[in-house]
Each structure stands twice: as C-alpha cells, then as structure tokens.
Amino acid sequence: MIKTETKEEFNLEITSRNFTSTRNACKLCAPLGASIAFRGIEGCIPLIHGSQGCSTYIRRYVISHFKEPIDIASSNFSEQSAIFGGGDNLKTAIDNLRRQYQPAAIGISTTCLSETIGDDVELYIDQYRKSNKDESLPVIIHASTPSYRGTHLEGFQEALRATVETLARGGPHTDRLNLIPGFLSAEDLRHLKEILSDFGIGHTLLPDYSETLDGESWEEYQKLSAGGTTIEAIRAMGRAQATIQFGKSLKGLNTAATFLEGKFGVQSLTLGIPVGIRETDLFFKALKEWSGLEIPQKYQQERGRLVDAYIDGHKYVYGKRAIIYGEADFVAALASWLDEIGIVPALCATGACTGKFKETVLSGLKNCPEEPLICEDTDFADMLDTCRTMGIDMVMGSSKGYFISRKLGVPLVRVGFPIHDRIGGQRILHVGYRGTQQLFDRVVNALIEAGQERSAVGYSYI
C-alpha cells in the first residue's frame, strides 16, 4: 500500500539544505490579532484596510477556533486602489458599516498592501470626519499592522495601544484596576474576571472577548454579538490607580499600559502570564498588595489541591522532554511551568522576532538540568528538523504543530491559538491555579496514554 501524504506533510519532508523561505510559519498575521482585540470592545467591528483575501483568511481562522460567527469587514482593494490609494475604498467601507451595523466603534487595521503603498489612513479618517461633521459617528480606531513588521500578537498589542490612545481620558484617579491580559482564551478571561470580582476589585479588562467570541446561542442572528469592554470603561482607564499587563517581553515596550502610565500617571506592573504556581503566586501577591485584602479562601484551596496533584503525578512527568511553541510570552509561561513540574522544555520556539525571547524564557527556569534550545523567528519545518534526535516525549502548542507530533509519534497537548482540529479551544483554561490544575491533568494523562499505546501488554491499572 502506498502511503499518501498531505501537502503540509510533504512540505515538511522536503526541507532542503539551503532553503531560506518560511514554511508552515509559527505565527499568524498582525491584522488577525488586531481583529480579535477589536472584537473585545463592545459594539466594535473590525475593518481590514486591504484586499478581500486578508479578511477571508482571518474569518476562517477565527471561526474555526472559536466556533462562532465573526464579521470582518474589508475595504476591498482592487488593482486601481493598489496603485492610486485606497482612500475612497476606506470611506465607502465606513459608510457601509455605519448603515449595516450601526457600530459603537470601528477598528481599522492595515495590511501589508496598504502599508506598502503608503496609504495615509489617519488623513482619510480625518477627511471622513470633516465631511460628516454634522452626523453622529462611531469611534474610529486605527492600528498600523503590516504583517512584515510583526506577528498576530504584535497586531493584538498595537490595536490595544491604539484603542487607549484614542479613547482614554485623564482626571481624578479612582480606585479601579486595569488588567490587560494579552491574547488568552475566552475561558481565561472569564476566570480572571472571577478572580478580580472575588477580591472585590473594581476593574476594567481590555480586551474582553469572553462573550463576543464565546457566547450563548441566539434565537435570531445578531450582527454584532453582545459583550466586550465598554467605550465608557476604556475612557476611564486613564483615571485608574494601576494597570497590570501580562507578558514579560512587553517590559520597556510602548504598550497600552505604558501609554496610560506616561500620559495619565497610571502606575503599570508587568507580570508573566500566570501559568503554574510560581507565576500565579506573583499575580495573587500583586492583587493582595494592591487591594490590601487577603487571598480568598477558595484560591488558597485551589493552590493546595494543585500542590497535591503535583505530588501524585510527579512520577509520570519527571525527566520527560517537551517541545513548546507559539506566542513568545505564552511559550515563556509554559516553559516556566514545565520547569516547575520537572519536565525539560527541550525546544522552545516562536515565530516572533523579539530579540529577547531567549532571555525571557531563561528568566523563568529554576530547576532545568540543561539549557533548552530556544529559537525565535522560526517555522514548523525547521522545528521538525531540529527535534528529530532530541528524544522528545511530548509536544505542546496549537493545532499547527500536529504534524510534528505525528512524525515523532508523541502526544500533542493542545493549548493556545489556533486549535482547528478539536472542539473547545476557546474554553481551555490556562491561567491561575485552576487552569494550571487542568493543564497538569491533561499533560499527565497524555503521557500515560502514550505509554499505554506503546505497551505490548496494555496495562489498565497504573
């Protein structure tokens, strides 16, 4: 029988010695990240300033992960607009969105094409506002997001910074806390809100797509699903006491949090994504110090159960070796957690080019018996070539790494984004003691199942 391979498998196999192109990129495009961030704002519709294909690609990716309808508008570039500019297309697109959706906000993200030809989007928006000065217009936010300048996570962060630059206002400070958690699952966002509410902390979570991209079923179709951070709450972010942002690599960068600090004096604190006991302890410690309140009993109990689970499962995970990949800060958080439970993060990879990925990953390792191989600006073809002889026991990341796990014959524990080949990717909980507990159970069970499958006996009692 002749074994047939998919196109992706074939491409992975033909990695040639002098090949320099990117294949099966370990990243997604910047406007995709911006579109997800914009859908975390109440009544906001994303608008891609570029060709129709860009918005179609984004819709396909987002729908297959979240299993929810999402409208991504496009200014629909043609050959003519690619040569003479897309100003007329953009203004027509805004007119159409106002008529069809009556949005509270329109989030415009630019594509490689519109950025390459030098479209002055700020000028177009200003012209549109002047020509419609007597009408009630939605908030218009513009994020510059060419994919040749960054990944989907850079697009996500750029959209958030553009949002607070456009909307946030100063004034007397309140006792509220801003939380900018980064690109996490919808379930993560719900859990973070639960934690802040249990502390009794008034807060603004930006963005909040926990309902807009993972809501209830509808009796009738809704053009813009309910939920999201309100415009009023974003305006008030400039008057909050402090901002917590997740992502160690963001420290020192021009982010939404640093803008709020520089413009309005809102103190900012950068933490790692709270995966694992070490990083979650730091998050809870920050909340405790900021609020002056004790950690609620239920979280102390969750932490205790997690420690107990570590003891129970230690013999199954200690000394195992894993590949992890994805967004830079998410990989750094996973590496720190695997190090915490005794798994060696042998290969840590990201498609991003941050210049400090290695430093960020290493800063979270305390027990690792060897220095892992840390690769940024890489792709899945290179990852497969690199790891064939590394003695890997497990792969951890999105569905895009499925072919690596298949080639190596080891389990893939799906986390992060995108998850196309399973249901419930948007409901995976990664953060906090509770999320870490769920990750730990999944990892241990994946390793046990792989051992059972390889066993000639097939033990049912382990």
Side-chain angles (χ1 to χ4, degrees):
M1 185 179 198
I2 298 175
K3 181 177 181 297
T4 59
E5 293 184 317
T6 66
K7 184 179 179 181
E8 284 181 288
E9 287 179 301
F10 178 74
N11 286 336
L12 286 173
E13 283 294 333
I14 61 168
T15 306
S16 66
R17 276 55 57 188
N18 300 313
F19 210 89
T20 56
S21 296
T22 297
R23 291 159 300 156
N24 291 300
C26 187
K27 59 184 177 182
L28 301 168
C29 79
L32 183 150
S35 297
I36 290 176
F38 285 139
R39 280 308 290 123
I41 300 171
E42 186 181 54
C44 181
I45 183 163
L47 168 58
I48 305 297
H49 185 46
S51 65
Q52 186 70 248
C54 294
S55 60
T56 303
Y57 156 79
I58 293 170
R59 278 196 296 270
R60 179 258 182 191
Y61 257 83
V62 176
I63 290 171
S64 70
H65 176 85
F66 288 98
K67 307 294 189 285
E68 296 279 11
I70 179 170
D71 286 356
I72 306 286
S74 170
S75 57
N76 197 19
F77 265 44
S78 63
E79 290 85 350
Q80 183 178 12
S81 43
I83 295 171
F84 299 108
D88 291 341
N89 290 51
L90 184 66
K91 295 165 189 170
T92 301
I94 295 173
D95 276 338
N96 289 339
L97 289 176
R98 289 177 58 202
R99 185 174 60 254
Q100 295 278 352
Y101 292 85
Q102 297 86 47
I106 297 173
I108 300 172
S109 51
T110 48
T111 62
C112 299
L113 176 56
S114 58
E115 291 278 352
T116 300
I117 66 172
D119 252 2
D120 191 340
V121 175
E122 289 294 338
L123 174 66
Y124 298 153
I125 293 173
D126 186 55
Q127 291 172 342
Y128 186 85
R129 286 185 177 129
K130 287 178 178 173
S131 62
N132 295 275
K133 62 182 178 182
D134 296 327
E135 300 178 32
S136 176
L137 296 179
V139 172
I140 301 176
I141 306 165
H142 164 224
S144 174
T145 54
S147 279
Y148 49 72
R149 203 173 61 198
T151 70
H152 58 296
L153 199 60
E154 275 83 13
F156 186 92
Q157 295 293 347
E158 179 68 21
L160 296 183
R161 187 168 61 84
T163 298
V164 297
E165 285 182 355
T166 304
L167 289 170
R169 299 289 182 267
H173 285 282
T174 66
D175 60 354
R176 292 179 67 83
L177 175 72
N178 302 322
L179 178 59
I180 302 178
F183 190 4
L184 299 175
S185 75
E187 189 67 27
D188 287 328
L189 301 187
R190 285 189 286 268
H191 187 46
L192 290 170
K193 288 192 291 185
E194 178 187 350
I195 292 171
L196 293 170
S197 296
D198 287 340
F199 264 96
I201 297 174
H203 60 273
T204 297
L205 184 76
L206 181 71
D208 181 6
Y209 44 84
S210 60
E211 298 300 325
T212 58
L213 292 178
D214 189 29
E216 303 171 24
S217 62
W218 303 327
E219 292 294 330
E220 293 182 4
Y221 181 72
Q222 301 175 15
K223 290 182 178 177
L224 285 174
S225 51
T229 312
T230 65
I231 300 292
E232 291 72 22
I234 300 170
R235 290 193 197 283
M237 289 178 76
R239 294 186 284 112
Q241 282 287 339
T243 302
I244 294 177
Q245 64 176 356
F246 291 155
K248 291 180 180 177
S249 71
L250 299 178
K251 198 165 188 176
L253 300 182
N254 186 17
T255 64
T258 54
F259 171 79
L260 291 170
E261 185 171 45
K263 180 82 173 179
F264 304 114
V266 180
Q267 180 187 359
S268 68
L269 174 64
T270 302
L271 296 174
I273 298 171
V275 177
I277 290 178
R278 286 196 301 247
E279 295 295 336
T280 305
D281 280 351
L282 292 175
F283 176 49
F284 274 91
K285 180 184 176 188
L287 295 181
K288 179 181 175 182
E289 291 177 351
W290 187 82
S291 67
L293 300 172
E294 288 300 316
I295 298 173
Q297 182 67 21
K298 79 177 191 183
Y299 298 106
Q300 297 181 37
Q301 292 173 330
E302 286 182 359
R303 187 184 190 282
R305 278 193 292 272
L306 180 56
V307 171
D308 187 56
Y310 279 8
I311 296 169
D312 294 340
H314 183 66
K315 62 183 179 181
Y316 302 111
V317 299
Y318 182 75
K320 300 296 185 185
R321 299 169 62 79
I323 299 171
I324 48 179
Y325 55 85
E327 296 106 23
D329 281 308
F330 190 62
V331 171
L334 290 177
S336 173
W337 173 60
L338 293 180
D339 173 75
E340 179 176 289
I341 63 174
I343 293 180
V344 178
L347 173 59
C348 304
T350 182
C353 188
T354 69
K356 52 183 178 181
F357 179 54
K358 183 174 183 178
E359 172 191 342
T360 305
V361 171
L362 292 179
S363 69
L365 305 184
K366 309 297 181 189
N367 308 307
C368 200
E370 61 182 86
E371 183 170 312
L373 181 60
I374 301 173
C375 304
E376 66 176 3
D377 194 20
T378 190
D379 60 31
F380 285 102
D382 286 341
M383 286 167 57
L384 179 61
D385 275 354
T386 301
C387 69
R388 285 183 190 276
T389 59
M390 294 179 71
I392 296 300
D393 299 290
M394 180 187 76
V395 177
M396 201 167 188
S398 69
S399 296
K400 290 171 68 68
Y402 168 68
F403 289 99
I404 291 182
S405 76
R406 178 168 161 151
K407 288 290 182 186
L408 298 179
V410 299
L412 166 64
V413 177
R414 291 167 175 80
V415 291
F417 176 91
I419 295 178
H420 298 310
D421 58 347
R422 293 290 186 276
I423 192 169
Q426 76 276 38
R427 290 185 291 277
I428 294 176
L429 182 61
H430 308 87
V431 301
Y433 303 122
R434 195 183 306 167
T436 305
Q437 178 74 77
Q438 294 181 15
L439 287 181
F440 185 74
D441 292 346
R442 291 175 61 211
V443 165
V444 172
N445 286 330
L447 291 170
I448 290 175
E449 184 177 351
Q452 281 180 310
E453 293 297 319
R454 287 194 298 268
S455 170
V457 178
Y459 299 101
S460 60
Y461 187 91
I462 297 176

